[in-house]
Amino acid sequence: MGSGYFQRVWWHHDCPEDPVVLWSHVVDGWEVRKVDEFAEGRLAWADDEHETETTGLGQVPVPPPDEIAADPQFTVALVDAEAFEQVWRRARGDV
């Protein structure tokens, strides 16, 4: 799948309709899988075959993690594949 990484981005805001944690599997600069985590615990996921009303893959390349982290409304952490896979399975109901 090319060069990829996994990231978790905390989005600091007060809007209950928006997710508070954005999980992404990024390959060659593009989201290939994504999970949005909402404050009340709901998870919504997307990949190239599935999206929801609130969660879809980005239509433009993902900025590098350090560029995202430069915006004070975001806190970025690179995570390992297992951390991403755990939330991915939970979001899809595969647990």
Side-chain angles (χ1 to χ4, degrees), residues 7-11 13 16-25 31 33-47 50-58 74 84 87-92:
Q7 70 182 12
R8 176 178 54 211
V9 178
W10 289 272
W11 185 9
H13 63 78
E17 294 85 32
D18 290 330
V20 294
V21 183
L22 316 169
W23 298 80
S24 298
H25 178 190
E31 288 180 326
R33 296 186 293 164
K34 176 181 190 173
V35 176
D36 286 344
E37 188 173 341
F38 294 82
E40 83 281 357
R42 179 172 58 93
L43 300 173
W45 63 278
D47 64 13
H50 171 88
E51 62 181 34
T52 69
E53 188 176 308
T54 61
T55 301
L57 297 180
F74 300 113
F84 180 86
V87 75
W88 179 252
R89 287 190 300 270
R90 280 188 14 241
R92 293 173 41 102

Side-chain angles (χ1 to χ4, degrees), residues 1-5 26-32 61-62:
M1 256 212 272
S3 87
Y5 60 92
V26 179
V27 176
D28 295 331
W30 293 90
E31 288 180 326
V32 295
V62 176

